[in-house]
Amino acid sequence: MNRPTRNTLWGCLLVLILAEFYSCDARAQERPFQFITLDCLFRGQLSTTIEQGKLATTVPKDTLAITLSNFDYDKHTAMMIGNAGSDEVSFIPSQKKAVLVQFSKTGNGFMTSVSEPIGGKAIAFHSRHSWLFGEPIISEYQADCKVRK
C-alpha cells in the first residue's frame, strides 16, 4: 500500500483552502439586498375583519408606501420605514428573496416578503395580523419596488 507523499498532502490542503475561499466569495456575492434601499408602493389590499360574528373581506383602494433599507446579513436586521415611522425588523435572507418580520409594542405581527432585485426592480408582499379591541384585522398587500439609486 502506497502512502501519500508530503507534496500530495500539501496539494490536497491547497485544494481545500481554495475551495473554501471560492465558496466564501460566492456566499458574499449571494447578498443581493446588501447596500440597497427599496422603495415599495403596496396596492391590492385585501382586508379581513369580523362583522356580526362572520369573517368579512373587503378590497379597500388605499395604498401603503414602505421603504426597506440597511439590510445587515450579520445581525439579520433591516430598517423598515412606513407611514407610522421607522423600525428595525428581523431580516431572514434566503435564496432569491428576503423575509422581514416585525412585531409592534402591542404584539401585532407584520411580515414582508421581497424578491431579489433584478434590473432595479423587485416585487413584495406585506401581511398585517392585527387585533383591535379583541377583533382581528388581517390585511394583505402586494407591491412593486424600485431600487433607489
Side-chain angles (χ1 to χ4, degrees), residues 33 36-43 64-71 79-82 112 114-115 117 120-124 142-149:
F33 298 95
I36 68 164
T37 296
L38 289 167
D39 293 315
C40 303
L41 183 60
F42 289 86
R43 298 180 177 96
L64 174 65
I66 294 178
T67 298
L68 307 172
S69 65
N70 298 347
F71 293 91
M79 186 61 75
M80 181 180 284
I81 305 163
T112 305
V114 61
S115 70
K121 296 181 180 180
I123 58 170
Q142 61 187 30
D144 295 312
C145 304
K146 294 180 183 173
V147 175
R148 187 185 299 172
K149 303 282 180 194

Side-chain angles (χ1 to χ4, degrees), residues 72-93:
D72 189 321
Y73 282 81
D74 296 323
K75 295 180 184 174
H76 292 278
T77 60
M79 186 61 75
M80 181 180 284
I81 305 163
N83 61 344
S86 62
D87 198 11
E88 186 176 75
V89 298
S90 296
F91 164 56
I92 305 160

Side-chain angles (χ1 to χ4, degrees), residues 3-147:
R3 292 181 60 204
T5 65
R6 187 178 302 227
N7 287 341
T8 303
L9 292 174
W10 280 112
C12 290
L13 183 59
L14 180 61
V15 167
L16 290 172
I17 291 170
L18 287 174
E20 180 60 24
F21 172 79
Y22 284 110
S23 69
C24 286
D25 186 50
R27 284 192 295 268
Q29 292 176 5
E30 292 172 0
R31 295 181 173 204
F33 298 95
Q34 195 167 22
F35 309 118
I36 68 164
T37 296
L38 289 167
D39 293 315
C40 303
L41 183 60
F42 289 86
R43 298 180 177 96
Q45 174 189 6
L46 287 178
S47 184
T48 302
T49 59
I50 292 181
E51 295 176 14
Q52 298 176 352
K54 295 184 179 181
L55 290 176
T57 300
T58 59
V59 184
K61 301 281 185 214
D62 63 336
T63 60
L64 174 65
I66 294 178
T67 298
L68 307 172
S69 65
N70 298 347
F71 293 91
D72 189 321
Y73 282 81
D74 296 323
K75 295 180 184 174
H76 292 278
T77 60
M79 186 61 75
M80 181 180 284
I81 305 163
N83 61 344
S86 62
D87 198 11
E88 186 176 75
V89 298
S90 296
F91 164 56
I92 305 160
S94 62
Q95 189 175 15
K96 304 288 184 195
K97 70 179 180 317
V99 176
L100 295 98
V101 179
Q102 174 186 20
F103 290 98
S104 71
K105 290 180 173 93
T106 58
N108 293 320
F110 311 99
M111 185 172 80
T112 305
S113 297
V114 61
S115 70
E116 176 181 6
I118 298 174
K121 296 181 180 180
I123 58 170
F125 300 93
H126 183 69
S127 178
R128 292 177 167 177
H129 293 218
S130 304
W131 293 81
L132 185 62
F133 305 115
E135 299 291 331
I137 303 171
I138 311 300
S139 302
E140 304 288 334
Y141 295 84
Q142 61 187 30
D144 295 312
C145 304
K146 294 180 183 173
V147 175

